[in-house]
Short mmCIF file of all heavy atoms in Angstrom, two decimals:
data_model
loop_
_atom_site.label_atom_id
_atom_site.label_comp_id
_atom_site.label_asym_id
_atom_site.label_seq_id
_atom_site.Cartn_x
_atom_site.Cartn_y
_atom_site.Cartn_z
N SER A 1424 159.97 9.95 77.78
CA SER A 1424 160.97 10.63 76.94
C SER A 1424 162.20 11.02 77.75
O SER A 1424 163.32 11.05 77.23
CB SER A 1424 160.37 11.88 76.30
OG SER A 1424 159.15 11.60 75.67
N HIS A 1447 157.68 3.49 55.20
CA HIS A 1447 158.45 2.26 55.35
C HIS A 1447 159.89 2.62 55.63
O HIS A 1447 160.36 3.70 55.28
CB HIS A 1447 158.34 1.44 54.06
CG HIS A 1447 158.84 0.04 54.19
ND1 HIS A 1447 160.11 -0.33 53.85
CD2 HIS A 1447 158.22 -1.07 54.65
CE1 HIS A 1447 160.28 -1.63 54.07
NE2 HIS A 1447 159.14 -2.11 54.55
N LEU A 1505 171.15 21.20 60.26
CA LEU A 1505 170.37 22.37 60.69
C LEU A 1505 170.94 23.66 60.10
O LEU A 1505 170.18 24.57 59.71
CB LEU A 1505 170.34 22.46 62.22
CG LEU A 1505 169.49 21.39 62.91
CD1 LEU A 1505 169.68 21.43 64.41
CD2 LEU A 1505 168.01 21.58 62.57
N ARG A 1510 169.80 28.14 56.35
CA ARG A 1510 170.12 29.02 55.23
C ARG A 1510 168.97 29.10 54.23
O ARG A 1510 168.80 30.10 53.54
CB ARG A 1510 171.40 28.54 54.55
CG ARG A 1510 172.66 28.90 55.31
CD ARG A 1510 173.90 28.74 54.45
NE ARG A 1510 174.16 27.34 54.12
CZ ARG A 1510 174.94 26.54 54.84
NH1 ARG A 1510 175.53 27.01 55.94
NH2 ARG A 1510 175.13 25.28 54.48
N ALA A 1521 158.08 20.20 77.90
CA ALA A 1521 159.55 20.25 77.81
C ALA A 1521 160.24 19.86 79.11
O ALA A 1521 161.45 19.70 79.12
CB ALA A 1521 159.98 21.66 77.40
N LYS A 1751 139.48 38.62 105.54
CA LYS A 1751 139.75 39.67 104.52
C LYS A 1751 140.80 39.19 103.53
O LYS A 1751 140.68 39.41 102.32
CB LYS A 1751 140.19 40.96 105.20
CG LYS A 1751 139.06 41.70 105.88
CD LYS A 1751 139.49 43.06 106.37
CE LYS A 1751 138.33 43.79 107.02
NZ LYS A 1751 137.85 43.16 108.24
N PHE A 1764 152.76 36.10 84.46
CA PHE A 1764 153.81 37.11 84.52
C PHE A 1764 155.02 36.64 83.72
O PHE A 1764 155.19 35.47 83.43
CB PHE A 1764 154.21 37.44 85.96
CG PHE A 1764 154.77 36.29 86.74
CD1 PHE A 1764 156.13 36.08 86.79
CD2 PHE A 1764 153.93 35.41 87.44
CE1 PHE A 1764 156.66 35.01 87.51
CE2 PHE A 1764 154.44 34.35 88.16
CZ PHE A 1764 155.82 34.15 88.20
N ARG A 1906 122.48 74.50 121.11
CA ARG A 1906 123.49 73.93 120.21
C ARG A 1906 124.83 73.77 120.92
O ARG A 1906 125.46 72.71 120.84
CB ARG A 1906 123.63 74.85 119.00
CG ARG A 1906 124.83 74.56 118.13
CD ARG A 1906 124.91 75.51 116.96
NE ARG A 1906 126.21 75.43 116.32
CZ ARG A 1906 126.44 75.75 115.07
NH1 ARG A 1906 125.46 76.17 114.31
NH2 ARG A 1906 127.64 75.66 114.57
N GLY A 2069 107.91 46.24 134.49
CA GLY A 2069 109.10 45.42 134.61
C GLY A 2069 109.64 45.01 133.25
O GLY A 2069 109.06 45.32 132.22
N PHE A 2086 107.93 49.36 110.55
CA PHE A 2086 107.31 50.69 110.55
C PHE A 2086 108.29 51.76 110.08
O PHE A 2086 107.91 52.70 109.38
CB PHE A 2086 106.78 51.04 111.95
CG PHE A 2086 105.58 50.23 112.36
CD1 PHE A 2086 105.54 49.60 113.60
CD2 PHE A 2086 104.49 50.11 111.52
CE1 PHE A 2086 104.43 48.86 113.99
CE2 PHE A 2086 103.37 49.37 111.90
CZ PHE A 2086 103.34 48.74 113.14
N GLN A 2155 117.80 61.87 126.83
CA GLN A 2155 118.03 60.42 127.02
C GLN A 2155 119.52 60.13 127.14
O GLN A 2155 119.95 59.35 128.00
CB GLN A 2155 117.46 59.65 125.84
CG GLN A 2155 115.93 59.59 125.76
CD GLN A 2155 115.35 58.56 126.72
OE1 GLN A 2155 114.57 58.89 127.61
NE2 GLN A 2155 115.73 57.32 126.56
N LEU A 2157 121.96 62.15 128.06
CA LEU A 2157 122.54 62.72 129.28
C LEU A 2157 122.30 61.85 130.50
O LEU A 2157 123.02 61.94 131.50
CB LEU A 2157 121.98 64.13 129.52
CG LEU A 2157 122.54 65.22 128.60
CD1 LEU A 2157 121.65 66.45 128.64
CD2 LEU A 2157 123.96 65.58 129.01
N GLU A 2164 127.29 49.81 125.79
CA GLU A 2164 126.45 50.15 124.65
C GLU A 2164 126.08 51.63 124.63
O GLU A 2164 125.83 52.20 123.56
CB GLU A 2164 125.17 49.29 124.68
CG GLU A 2164 124.36 49.39 123.40
CD GLU A 2164 123.07 48.59 123.46
OE1 GLU A 2164 122.66 48.19 124.57
OE2 GLU A 2164 122.48 48.38 122.40
N MET A 2260 136.36 67.60 90.78
CA MET A 2260 136.75 68.04 89.43
C MET A 2260 135.63 68.81 88.74
O MET A 2260 135.87 69.82 88.08
CB MET A 2260 137.14 66.83 88.59
CG MET A 2260 138.55 66.34 88.83
SD MET A 2260 139.02 65.03 87.69
CE MET A 2260 138.12 63.65 88.37
N PHE A 2288 124.06 46.41 93.19
CA PHE A 2288 122.74 46.26 93.79
C PHE A 2288 122.58 47.19 94.99
O PHE A 2288 121.96 46.85 95.98
CB PHE A 2288 122.50 44.81 94.19
CG PHE A 2288 122.63 43.86 93.02
CD1 PHE A 2288 123.60 42.88 93.00
CD2 PHE A 2288 121.79 43.98 91.93
CE1 PHE A 2288 123.73 42.02 91.92
CE2 PHE A 2288 121.92 43.13 90.84
CZ PHE A 2288 122.89 42.15 90.85
N GLN A 2289 123.19 48.38 94.87
CA GLN A 2289 123.04 49.41 95.90
C GLN A 2289 122.50 50.65 95.22
O GLN A 2289 123.12 51.16 94.29
CB GLN A 2289 124.39 49.68 96.56
CG GLN A 2289 124.35 50.44 97.85
CD GLN A 2289 124.25 51.93 97.67
OE1 GLN A 2289 124.60 52.46 96.64
NE2 GLN A 2289 123.72 52.60 98.67
N SER A 2298 126.52 59.09 86.42
CA SER A 2298 126.02 60.43 86.06
C SER A 2298 127.15 61.45 86.02
O SER A 2298 127.17 62.33 85.16
CB SER A 2298 124.93 60.86 87.03
OG SER A 2298 123.83 59.98 86.98
N THR A 2325 115.16 54.41 88.08
CA THR A 2325 113.87 53.87 88.57
C THR A 2325 113.97 53.27 89.97
O THR A 2325 112.94 53.03 90.60
CB THR A 2325 113.35 52.79 87.60
OG1 THR A 2325 114.38 51.81 87.40
CG2 THR A 2325 113.00 53.39 86.25
N LEU A 2370 112.14 67.98 87.36
CA LEU A 2370 112.87 68.74 88.38
C LEU A 2370 111.93 69.29 89.44
O LEU A 2370 112.22 69.26 90.64
CB LEU A 2370 113.65 69.88 87.72
CG LEU A 2370 114.89 69.47 86.91
CD1 LEU A 2370 115.34 70.60 86.01
CD2 LEU A 2370 116.02 69.02 87.82
N GLU A 2416 122.49 80.97 100.36
CA GLU A 2416 122.90 81.92 101.40
C GLU A 2416 122.48 81.45 102.78
O GLU A 2416 123.25 81.47 103.74
CB GLU A 2416 122.29 83.29 101.09
CG GLU A 2416 122.70 84.39 102.05
CD GLU A 2416 124.15 84.82 101.87
OE1 GLU A 2416 124.62 84.84 100.72
OE2 GLU A 2416 124.80 85.10 102.89
N SER A 2428 126.18 82.53 91.24
CA SER A 2428 126.55 83.94 90.97
C SER A 2428 127.23 84.07 89.61
O SER A 2428 126.94 84.99 88.84
CB SER A 2428 127.47 84.46 92.07
OG SER A 2428 126.83 84.38 93.33
#
Side-chain angles (χ1 to χ4, degrees):
S1424 309
H1447 192 264
L1505 289 172
R1510 283 195 292 268
K1751 285 188 179 66
F1764 62 93
R1906 167 181 167 155
F2086 290 131
Q2155 289 281 120
L2157 285 164
E2164 191 182 15
M2260 279 186 285
F2288 302 118
Q2289 195 278 338
S2298 298
T2325 53
L2370 288 164
E2416 183 71 36
S2428 301

